[in-house]
Amino acid sequence: AKLGVSPGATYTLRAFARTRGFNSVSRAYANGKYSPASDSGAGIAIKWLDGSGATLGVSKSSSVVRNTTDWTPLEVSAAAPAVAAQAQVVLYTSCPNEKGIAGSVWFDDVALTGQSAPNPLTVSAITPATAASGASASATITGTAFEAGAAVRLVSGTTTVEATDVTVKSANEITCSLPLTGAVAGTYDVVVTNPDSKTAKLTGGFSVTAAASSCGTGTTASVSLFAAMVGLLSLAGVGRRRKKG
């Protein structure tokens, strides 16, 4: 039977096996006589399949049961490949010399269990989401699956701002400082990279605005111009009143 699986999730296959008269059919010459070879074994495995049923790989138990009448536990744990859609339980016998196997083997209590796939690395928000160029801004980033040692950067085209003082508070929160001196105004992606090189980004999540410029000179000039205009209007008004008199 084939079972549905989730890519990245860890699955464990367990079973018990025992044998009787379980040997290779071929005979090995040792100590002046022939005797049945004893290198055959019984094991368990998980076969991984994609959506079309094609085999992606096989994860085998690290040990096999050889010629024993005692029930012996077998186990294999493995993560489903990235494109896996199905898994198949395999109970097998191995025969290194390919001559066949004599005897009997039994399997019991076969069970395949799965664990939830780990949370994917994501970046959901950054606070604040905007800051002016020319200064360093403190920011808090939220998401999932952040790991100690993660790196943070802002990316806009070929422009990159590397965050400093990056602290992973938890799997869901990072604090950092964004050095924006000289940063070009515009919209930036917020990118988080874990030590294992997995990367996630919040597209267009942060905006850098142009640094505020001094307006003292401009204000003085505006006030002077306004005063001059008021003076001209007053003179024009006086002239009209005299003419009417």
Side-chain angles (χ1 to χ4, degrees):
K2 297 176 182 178
L3 307 172
V5 296
S6 300
T10 298
Y11 292 85
T12 299
L13 175 63
R14 295 184 178 91
F16 286 85
R18 68 184 180 91
T19 64
R20 183 177 62 192
F22 190 63
N23 289 293
S24 171
V25 171
S26 68
R27 299 171 65 81
Y29 185 81
N31 299 322
K33 63 179 181 180
Y34 286 95
S35 61
S38 59
D39 52 0
S40 298
I44 60 176
I46 305 173
K47 180 186 288 187
W48 307 106
L49 311 169
D50 64 14
S52 65
T55 300
L56 300 173
V58 178
S59 300
K60 293 184 177 182
S61 55
S62 58
S63 62
V64 295
V65 174
R66 302 198 185 279
N67 193 18
T68 175
T69 57
D70 295 329
W71 285 107
T72 304
L74 293 170
E75 180 177 316
V76 55
S77 292
V83 294
Q86 306 171 83
Q88 191 170 28
V89 173
V90 178
L91 309 177
Y92 70 90
T93 57
S94 62
C95 180
N97 54 33
E98 299 180 356
K99 297 295 184 179
I101 297 174
S104 303
V105 58
W106 293 267
F107 292 95
D108 198 5
D109 292 336
V110 180
L112 178 66
T113 58
Q115 300 176 356
S116 299
N119 287 332
L121 176 62
T122 64
V123 180
S124 56
I126 182 170
T127 306
T130 184
S133 176
S136 183
S138 296
T140 299
I141 300 169
T142 54
T144 58
F146 298 149
E147 297 179 359
V152 177
R153 66 184 188 276
L154 303 178
V155 179
S156 179
T158 58
T159 301
T160 299
V161 176
E162 297 288 347
T164 60
D165 301 323
V166 178
T167 302
V168 179
K169 297 286 188 178
S170 69
N172 304 108
E173 182 179 329
I174 292 176
T175 59
C176 63
S177 181
L178 302 172
L180 300 178
T181 300
V184 178
T187 301
Y188 289 73
D189 298 336
V190 182
V191 181
V192 173
T193 303
N194 275 339
D196 61 2
S197 298
K198 290 182 180 179
T199 297
K201 70 178 178 180
L202 178 62
T203 303
F206 192 82
S207 295
V208 175
T209 59
S213 59
S214 174
C215 59
T217 302
T219 301
T220 301
S222 298
V223 171
S224 298
L225 179 61
F226 178 73
M229 292 179 65
V230 170
L232 290 173
L233 289 173
S234 297
L235 289 174
V238 171
R240 287 196 296 273
R241 286 198 296 271
R242 288 179 177 177
K243 186 174 180 180
K244 289 181 179 180

